[in-house]
Amino acid sequence: MFDYRSFAALAAAAEEGGTAVSAVVLADQARQMERSEKELFNEMRAALEVMKAAVAGGSDPLLRSPSGLSGGLSFKMKERLGKETLSGPFCTAAIARALAAAEYNAAMGRIVAAPTAGACGILPAAVLTMLEGDFVAGDTGQRSGPFRRVTEDAAVMSLFTAGALGMVIAGEACIAGAEGGCQAECGSASAMAAAALTELAGGSPAGVSHAAAIALKNQLGLVCDPVAGLVEVPCVKRNAGGIMCAIGAAEMALAGIESVIPLDEVIAAMGEIGAALPASLRETARGGLAATPSGLEIRRKIFG
C-alpha cells in the first residue's frame, strides 16, 4: 500500500509492473478502502459526467455570474474554432472548456473541485478534449475534428493518476489559495492535467512525472489575488492559462524532455514558496490585482 507522500513511488511501481500509474492507484485505493475496483471506477466515471455537464452548462452564451464579472467567455472562445486560430483547434477547444467549467463555477453551477473550485476547469479541459475533440463553432454539444484519441474508460482512468498527484500535493505542500497562493490551485491543477494528458497520449510513468513537474515549475510563485474577493477575476482566465501550461508540459515530456528537478522536490519547493508568500497574496484580496485601482473600483461597485 502507498501513503501518497511521493509520486515517484507510484511511478516507480507502475514502471516496474509495466502498467500505467492509474492502474497502480486504482488497485491500491481498492485495497486501502476495502472496495472493488469496479465500484471506485464507476464513482470516478460519475465525476467525469459532472465535468461534462459543467462544460456544457458553462458554454451557454447567456450564462452570467451573480456579480456579472464572468460569463460568455467560453462561447466566444468556441467561435474561434471556425477561424484560423494561432494555437490550433485542440488548444482552442481546451481553452474553451477550461473557461466553461470555471464560469459555471462562478455562476454557482455544480462542478468537480480538481483539486479546488477555483481551478475546476483545467483538468476537465485536458481530459474531455482528449476524449471528445473540438467543438463545432457556436454549438454547445456537438464535436468534430481528429482529436477523439482515447476511450471513455481511458479518460476515467487518467483521473486516478491526476487524483493521486493531487493527494501527494495536498499532503506534502497545499492545494488551497489561502495557504499557498494560486500556485497551489491552478498550479496543482495544471500539473494534474499534464499528468493525465501524458498518460492518455501513451507516455510512460516517468514521462507523466516529468510533465507534472514541468507544469508545476512554470507556475511556482503564482499569487492568489481575487478581485473583490470573488473567484472570477483573474481566476477564470487563469484556468485557461493553466490548461495551456499543461499541454505544453505534456508535449515536452512526450518529446523526451525531462525535468531537471524531480516532481516530489518541485512539490516541496511549492510548499515552501507558498509559506513565504505574504498574507496579501493569499486569497485575502488585499494585494496583487485585487488592490489595483480597477480592482478596488470593481469591489466598490459590487459591495458598496
Side-chain angles (χ1 to χ4, degrees):
M1 293 187 182
F2 296 92
D3 60 8
Y4 296 88
R5 300 196 62 179
S6 166
F7 195 82
L10 294 168
E15 291 277 9
E16 184 178 347
T19 188
V21 173
S22 57
V24 172
V25 174
L26 177 55
D28 180 69
Q29 287 291 291
R31 286 192 298 270
Q32 291 203 34
M33 300 175 73
E34 298 183 348
R35 298 171 66 186
S36 71
E37 291 187 22
K38 182 177 180 181
E39 186 179 5
L40 295 181
F41 180 89
N42 287 337
E43 286 189 6
M44 192 66 86
R45 183 188 293 277
L48 182 66
E49 291 301 318
V50 174
M51 291 178 177
K52 291 179 183 178
V55 169
S59 299
D60 185 345
L62 301 180
L63 180 76
R64 295 294 182 273
S65 66
S67 71
L69 286 177
S70 64
L73 300 183
S74 176
F75 180 78
K76 288 182 177 180
M77 198 68 207
K78 283 166 60 178
E79 288 192 313
R80 286 279 296 160
L81 283 164
K83 304 168 185 175
E84 188 174 337
T85 64
L86 293 173
S87 58
F90 184 90
C91 290
T92 303
I95 292 172
R97 286 188 173 91
L99 292 171
E103 289 188 302
Y104 199 59
N105 172 62
M108 309 303 291
R110 182 176 180 229
I111 50 90
V112 175
T116 64
C120 68
I122 299 171
L123 182 58
V127 175
L128 293 179
T129 304
M130 288 292 284
L131 174 64
E132 298 177 334
D134 60 317
F135 296 92
V136 173
D139 188 272
T140 58
Q142 295 179 332
R143 281 93 182 174
S144 66
F147 303 115
R148 189 179 177 88
R149 300 177 54 184
V150 301
T151 65
E152 184 157 303
D153 283 0
V156 173
M157 288 300 293
S158 74
L159 295 178
F160 283 98
T161 296
L165 175 56
M167 290 172 67
V168 174
I169 295 173
E172 297 305 296
C174 59
I175 57 171
E179 184 177 359
C182 199
Q183 59 168 3
E185 298 206 16
C186 284
S188 297
S190 185
M192 292 163 65
L197 283 169
T198 304
E199 181 170 297
L200 286 171
S204 67
V208 167
S209 294
H210 287 303
I214 293 168
L216 190 56
K217 285 193 302 184
N218 283 330
Q219 299 205 57
L220 289 180
L222 185 60
V223 302
C224 184
D225 50 354
V227 171
L230 302 173
V231 185
E232 297 185 63
V233 179
C235 317
V236 169
K237 296 184 183 75
R238 280 185 182 159
N239 278 257
I243 185 57
M244 289 300 288
C245 180
I247 292 170
E251 288 283 23
M252 282 189 271
L254 291 165
I257 297 173
E258 299 182 350
S259 173
V260 175
I261 308 301
L263 174 57
D264 287 334
E265 294 182 30
V266 175
I267 292 170
M270 188 193 80
E272 294 173 2
I273 293 167
L277 287 175
S280 62
L281 300 178
R282 286 190 281 170
E283 210 172 349
T284 59
R286 294 178 179 175
L289 297 177
T292 61
S294 294
L296 294 173
E297 178 62 15
I298 290 171
R299 179 178 179 177
R300 186 193 65 78
K301 286 181 178 179
I302 295 174
F303 297 111

